[in-house]
Amino acid sequence: MIVGLDIGTCNTRVVIGAVDENGSVSIVGTSCVKSDGMRNGVILNIEAAKNVIKEAIEQAEQNAGVTVSSVYTAIGGVQISSTDSHGVVGIAKVRGNTREINESDISRVIDCARTLKFPPDKQLLHIVPQDFIVDDLSTGNKPPIGRMGDRLEVDVHIITAACSTLKNVISCISRTGYTCNNIMLKTLAATQAVVHDDELDLGSIVIDLGAGTTDIIVYVKGSPVCTASLQVAGNLVTNDISIVKGISNATAEKIKIESGCCWRQGIENDVEVIIPGVGGRAPEAVRKSEICDIIQPRMTEIFEMARSAIKHNSQIKQLAGNIILTGGGAQMEGVVELAQEVFHTSSVRKGMPENAGIVPEAYRRPDFATAVGLVMANKDNDSSTNGKKKKNRKVPKEKKNESGLSKFLKRYF
């Protein structure tokens, strides 16, 4: 059993996946609980967050009919930073002859690339190879094992996280009585669930529209080249509705979820929306288009800031793949059409996890992309002892049709 735990600003989601001996995953249990003690993706109240995490895991356990002991989780937000690095090593000759590159050489060159001085408050989260170079010849992002060469280089993308954030997440989970096996970048996990290999090769962008933050990752030739996070997200949309209509945040959130739309041209049925009265004030009936007039400018701003962050951090002018939208904000009506207008492309879609369950497909939504992705990314990890005792077994050979990203996650994370 592999458990994916997505601790969000607005909701905490859990997905339990059962992995069979062939490596296939079946989603057997899910849950979604309203978060508490969180702000902009950061845990502020350990006790409140702990209670939510425990409730979410226990609900998923009941739905799946199993008991688990450990989880995999993910983080995002402004506490994440990234940079690129380069490493180079020589390939020792054997009796004066050039030899084949092996796993040891790959490990050495990656270790060389990671020798950067991080600030004392930062900790290495991921190091992802972007391009291997053998004797000045680029070989792509796959390790050139078996190639002959005298000099091996690598370009890598290094992702770090704030030490305090990591410690708070681990502490919060451990207080619930569960073990945190590993922490992963949120958008990297979501990629596993919703992005196809051809999209990675062509170059694509994953935008996670959360409640507290908007997280972005850009892929070129199958590897991440840029990660960014914005502190503008769904909560600002809720706040705008609350201020303009003079209602509570809770009521504004309900209206956003039930009647929210961010693309006015797409409204076919301009139905009435009832705004509850506050303090004895009579309820107000407004049109759906009026709510859209409040939401659309803020969502446009979010996408424009995302586009600027991508352009500034990656210097990429054009990608041949898709823009994939995940997170709770991706469920809003009209979000695809608005993104198409802002990014000047029709290649925008919602990131829907593939059907891999024996439970109702409640998890096949953009907001479950991270939790499902955590299960997919760690399905080959032997550190989990959930559901049954761990048994010694032979490690199967890699399948020919296994995705390149899966191989990287297995090898380097």
Side-chain angles (χ1 to χ4, degrees), residues 172-335:
C172 199
I173 294 174
S174 64
R175 291 188 184 193
T176 65
Y178 298 94
T179 302
C180 180
N181 286 332
N182 195 17
I183 300 177
M184 193 173 180
L185 179 66
K186 193 171 187 179
T187 47
L188 200 59
T191 298
Q192 277 284 289
V194 301
V195 184
H196 303 292
D197 285 347
D198 55 351
E199 291 177 313
L200 292 174
D201 293 335
L202 291 170
S204 296
I205 302 170
V206 177
I207 302 178
D208 185 89
L209 300 167
T213 60
T214 298
D215 297 299
I216 306 160
I217 188 166
V218 181
Y219 288 90
V220 174
K221 296 181 180 179
S223 299
V225 298
C226 164
T227 53
S229 182
L230 310 173
Q231 282 191 307
V232 288
N235 279 351
L236 291 182
V237 176
T238 302
N239 192 55
D240 290 345
I241 300 173
S242 173
I243 293 174
V244 173
K245 292 301 178 183
I247 55 179
S248 67
N249 268 21
T251 303
E253 179 72 14
K254 183 179 179 182
I255 291 173
K256 182 185 75 173
I257 294 173
E258 295 178 353
S259 306
C261 176
C262 61
W263 184 246
R264 181 157 185 172
Q265 293 92 315
I267 298 178
E268 297 179 356
N269 187 14
D270 197 6
V271 297
E272 280 191 349
V273 179
I274 303 300
I275 306 295
V278 178
R281 189 177 68 206
E284 177 187 2
V286 300
R287 291 290 176 184
K288 185 176 181 178
S289 58
E290 189 175 340
I291 300 298
C292 182
D293 290 338
I294 302 172
I295 296 175
Q296 186 166 339
R298 181 66 75 179
M299 291 298 294
T300 301
E301 179 192 21
I302 292 173
F303 281 128
E304 287 177 344
M305 292 181 68
R307 186 183 64 181
S308 298
I310 293 167
K311 185 177 180 180
H312 175 74
N313 292 318
S314 66
Q315 306 299 323
I316 292 174
K317 296 181 180 180
Q318 186 175 3
L319 293 173
N322 292 325
I323 297 174
I324 300 103
L325 306 178
T326 65
Q331 299 184 101
M332 184 178 293
E333 183 182 336
V335 68

Side-chain angles (χ1 to χ4, degrees), residues 64-263:
V66 300
T67 300
V68 301
S69 58
S70 60
V71 302
Y72 293 88
T73 191
I75 61 172
V78 294
Q79 60 268 23
I80 299 295
S81 57
S82 63
T83 186
D84 292 329
S85 182
H86 184 80
V88 55
V89 295
I91 307 300
K93 295 183 178 182
V94 178
R95 298 177 183 177
N97 297 321
T98 302
R99 65 171 176 83
E100 294 182 355
I101 296 172
N102 55 35
E103 287 277 6
S104 175
D105 300 316
I106 301 298
S107 298
R108 284 195 303 121
V109 75
I110 291 177
D111 287 339
C112 179
R114 68 189 293 173
T115 56
L116 295 177
K117 290 185 178 180
F118 301 119
D121 62 335
K122 292 289 185 179
Q123 182 175 326
L124 180 65
L125 192 63
H126 299 297
I127 177 167
V128 189
Q130 297 171 325
D131 186 24
F132 288 95
I133 305 166
V134 179
D135 294 340
D136 298 325
L137 178 64
S138 173
T139 61
N141 60 8
K142 296 180 181 179
I145 297 175
R147 288 180 63 95
M148 307 291 285
D150 297 313
R151 177 187 174 94
L152 176 63
E153 303 174 63
V154 67
D155 293 318
V156 298
H157 189 65
I158 296 177
I159 302 168
T160 59
C163 296
S164 58
T165 299
L166 296 174
K167 291 178 181 178
N168 284 335
V169 171
I170 294 172
S171 173
C172 199
I173 294 174
S174 64
R175 291 188 184 193
T176 65
Y178 298 94
T179 302
C180 180
N181 286 332
N182 195 17
I183 300 177
M184 193 173 180
L185 179 66
K186 193 171 187 179
T187 47
L188 200 59
T191 298
Q192 277 284 289
V194 301
V195 184
H196 303 292
D197 285 347
D198 55 351
E199 291 177 313
L200 292 174
D201 293 335
L202 291 170
S204 296
I205 302 170
V206 177
I207 302 178
D208 185 89
L209 300 167
T213 60
T214 298
D215 297 299
I216 306 160
I217 188 166
V218 181
Y219 288 90
V220 174
K221 296 181 180 179
S223 299
V225 298
C226 164
T227 53
S229 182
L230 310 173
Q231 282 191 307
V232 288
N235 279 351
L236 291 182
V237 176
T238 302
N239 192 55
D240 290 345
I241 300 173
S242 173
I243 293 174
V244 173
K245 292 301 178 183
I247 55 179
S248 67
N249 268 21
T251 303
E253 179 72 14
K254 183 179 179 182
I255 291 173
K256 182 185 75 173
I257 294 173
E258 295 178 353
S259 306
C261 176
C262 61
W263 184 246

Side-chain angles (χ1 to χ4, degrees), residues 4 14 43 168 174 195 203 215 236-237 348-349 370 374 403:
V14 174
I43 297 175
N168 284 335
S174 64
V195 184
D215 297 299
L236 291 182
V237 176
V348 181
R349 68 175 181 87
T370 298
L374 285 166
S403 70

